[in-house]
Amino acid sequence: EAGVAQSPRYKIIEKRQSVAFWCNPISGHATLYWYQQILGQGPKLLIQFQNNGVVDDSQLPKDRFSAERLKGVDSTLKIQPAKLEDSAVYLCASSLSTDEKLFFGSGTQLSVL
Amino acid sequence: SQKIEQNSEALNIQEGKTATLTCNYTNYSPAYLQWYRQDPGRGPVFLLLIRENEKEKRKERLKVTFDTTLKQSLFHITASQPADSATYLCALGKGAGRALTFGSGTRLQVQP
């Protein structure tokens, strides 16, 4: 079975620029998550979708981050404008339903200069 | 505030020995706990899930214990191998559809 696909793999931008990340979850997985992982730390939840509805975005910096999951499948996470502290790996994960194990993509490593 | 603590220092052990990793939490009432393995440049990979009413779970060389009184989970790898070298993350779930909260992970290095 195909895993969670993410692109791009790496991205380097300058502060105040914008960037977008894409995620394609495992087919049939209703729940999709975006996590931010700063070097040396564990993943931190940014947003959780159930189908195409938002379940939890309490930790998403909404002044600069936005995410959508159109048609309950693919998802896009956007940062505009980026700050230096946004340098991190952005991980997308999906699960069959809530309270299940997560399947992660390989992540997008973002460097903001 | 809620806190999940894992040893920030790397754990170095000899091949063949048992590795024991600790996950402690405070101000949290998890319905279940999960352990993940993460290799450099990769996303975490699920290993085991243990629920609040379970004391112990095993899978091949892996064993997880969950003590809700001590607010602690222990993760054991028996007969460790150099291929087990990775960072291990514990994650707590409150249930009711809430997302997992991850600890910062412990890096395990198994020496041949």
Side-chain angles (χ1 to χ4, degrees), chain A residues 28 30 35 44-45 50 52 59 84 90 95-96 100 103 109 112:
Chain A
Y35 280 88
K44 173 189 159 189
L45 179 73
Q50 180 70 16
N52 59 345
Q59 299 184 87
L84 297 177
Y90 290 85
S95 61
L96 205 54
E100 296 273 348
F103 294 83
Q109 186 172 325
V112 182

Side-chain angles (χ1 to χ4, degrees), chain B residues 90-105:
Chain B
C90 74
L92 275 60
K94 287 186 174 180
R98 300 286 299 277
L100 292 173
T101 302
F102 282 83
S104 57

Side-chain angles (χ1 to χ4, degrees), chain A residues 9 35 37 42 48 99 101-102 105, chain B residues 32 36 38 41 95-97 100 103:
Chain A
R9 191 77 177 86
Y35 280 88
Q37 188 172 26
Q48 175 187 355
D99 302 329
K101 63 184 179 183
L102 269 57
Chain B
Y32 57 88
Y36 287 78
Q38 187 172 26
L100 292 173

Side-chain angles (χ1 to χ4, degrees), chain A residues 34-52:
Chain A
W34 283 100
Y35 280 88
Q36 180 194 57
Q37 188 172 26
I38 292 171
L39 189 63
Q41 299 182 17
K44 173 189 159 189
L45 179 73
L46 291 175
I47 190 167
Q48 175 187 355
F49 291 96
Q50 180 70 16
N51 296 310
N52 59 345

Side-chain angles (χ1 to χ4, degrees), chain A residues 19-113:
Chain A
V19 65
F21 313 126
W22 173 82
C23 173
N24 181 231
I26 292 173
S27 177
H29 280 197
T31 313
L32 185 147
Y33 311 81
W34 283 100
Y35 280 88
Q36 180 194 57
Q37 188 172 26
I38 292 171
L39 189 63
Q41 299 182 17
K44 173 189 159 189
L45 179 73
L46 291 175
I47 190 167
Q48 175 187 355
F49 291 96
Q50 180 70 16
N51 296 310
N52 59 345
V54 175
V55 174
D56 183 357
D57 63 356
S58 58
Q59 299 184 87
L60 187 74
K62 298 181 187 66
D63 57 335
R64 298 184 301 106
F65 286 64
S66 65
E68 60 182 8
R69 189 181 185 196
L70 298 175
K71 300 180 182 177
V73 182
D74 291 8
S75 179
T76 303
L77 176 70
K78 296 180 182 177
I79 308 175
Q80 182 179 16
K83 292 185 174 181
L84 297 177
E85 59 260 36
D86 298 331
S87 294
V89 176
Y90 290 85
L91 294 163
C92 178
S94 69
S95 61
L96 205 54
S97 65
T98 56
D99 302 329
E100 296 273 348
K101 63 184 179 183
L102 269 57
F103 294 83
F104 282 87
S106 292
T108 295
Q109 186 172 325
L110 174 67
S111 296
V112 182
L113 306 178

